[in-house]
């Protein structure tokens, strides 16, 4: 029963959209009303307020990290095993992608996934970030970089954590990330996806 309390709290934390929160703080339009209408850092950046976009990025990544770290600390105290930590990791991510507070219409989950990875294992998170950066330098396409990182993250997780529950959670997150980028994949195949610095629909 306790594990479901952990999962519910993680999901609710993930459902807090920092794109909406930061837009309210900086008195910007609701990010769901302009651009790609996606509540993510990239779309908030379209408002022209870099500080709001940075706050969104840090907030969305931070909630993923916080949920996992708290689970790692409190799970043993409540008799919850590694499966509970993995469930929390997945729940906070799904909360961002399908937030109850926004009628289940959330962001694509890249920033929150990075936060989750950093919480599960620092090296996995850093390797995923390095992969994104390297792919961005080479291809200069944000969505492609996210897809490459999503594909390789489960491999990093298995290599470092082994075949355990947390690695499975990373695999499921990656599959959802890839699914959420399906429109970007179509554009990539058609050669229409915008490069970094150009107008793009690829949101964090």
């Amino acid at each position: 029963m306790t594990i479901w309390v952990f999962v519910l709290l993680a999901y609710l934390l993930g459902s807090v959209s920092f794109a909406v929160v930061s837009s309210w703080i900086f008195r910007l339009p609701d990010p769901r009303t302009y651009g790609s209408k996606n509540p993510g850092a990239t779309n908030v950046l379209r408002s022209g307020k870099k500080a709001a976009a940075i706050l969104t990025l840090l907030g969305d990544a931070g909630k993923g990290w916080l949920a996992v770290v708290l689970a790692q600390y409190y799970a043993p105290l409540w008799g919850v095993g590694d499966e509970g930590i993995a469930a929390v990791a997945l729940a906070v991510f799904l909360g961002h992608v399908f937030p109850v507070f926004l009628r289940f219409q959330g962001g694509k989950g890249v920033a929150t996934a990075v936060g989750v990875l950093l919480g599960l294992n620092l090296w996995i998170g850093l390797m995923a970030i390095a992969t994104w950066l390297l792919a961005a330098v080479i291809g200069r396409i944000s969505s492609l970089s996210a897809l490459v990182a999503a594909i390789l993250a489960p491999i990093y997780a298995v290599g470092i954590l082994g075949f355990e529950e947390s690695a499975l959670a990373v695999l499921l997150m990656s599959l959802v990330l890839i699914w959420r980028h399906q429109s970007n994949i179509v554009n990539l195949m058609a050669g229409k996806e915008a490069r970094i610095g150009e107008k793009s629909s690829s949101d964090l």
Side-chain angles (χ1 to χ4, degrees), residues 78-104:
W78 288 87
V80 176
D82 291 340
E83 71 280 358
I85 296 173
V88 163
L90 186 58
V92 69
F93 170 76
L94 292 177
H96 176 81
V97 178
F98 307 108
V100 65
F101 305 130
L102 300 182
R103 299 180 180 180
F104 306 105

Side-chain angles (χ1 to χ4, degrees), residues 142-155:
S142 179
S143 59
L144 178 60
S145 302
L147 287 167
V148 172
I151 291 170
L152 294 180
I155 298 175

Side-chain angles (χ1 to χ4, degrees), residues 62-194:
K63 67 186 180 185
W65 174 85
L66 180 63
V68 173
V69 170
L70 288 178
Q72 290 171 333
Y73 179 81
Y74 286 105
L77 302 179
W78 288 87
V80 176
D82 291 340
E83 71 280 358
I85 296 173
V88 163
L90 186 58
V92 69
F93 170 76
L94 292 177
H96 176 81
V97 178
F98 307 108
V100 65
F101 305 130
L102 300 182
R103 299 180 180 180
F104 306 105
Q105 301 296 317
K108 293 187 176 179
V110 176
T112 302
V114 169
V116 168
L117 293 178
L118 289 170
L120 288 174
N121 183 281
L122 179 62
W123 289 110
I124 297 175
L126 291 178
M127 289 170 70
I129 293 172
T131 299
W132 190 97
L133 290 173
L134 180 60
V137 169
I138 296 174
R140 299 197 59 78
I141 301 177
S142 179
S143 59
L144 178 60
S145 302
L147 287 167
V148 172
I151 291 170
L152 294 180
I155 298 175
Y156 300 153
V158 171
I160 293 176
L161 301 176
F163 292 95
E164 62 168 38
E165 294 89 346
S166 293
L168 176 59
V170 173
L171 173 60
L172 293 175
M173 283 195 307
S174 292
L175 291 175
V176 173
L177 275 171
I178 293 170
W179 171 71
R180 290 286 286 155
H181 281 80
Q182 54 188 315
S183 62
N184 302 98
I185 294 174
V186 172
N187 287 336
L188 284 167
M189 295 179 67
K192 297 179 180 179
E193 188 72 346

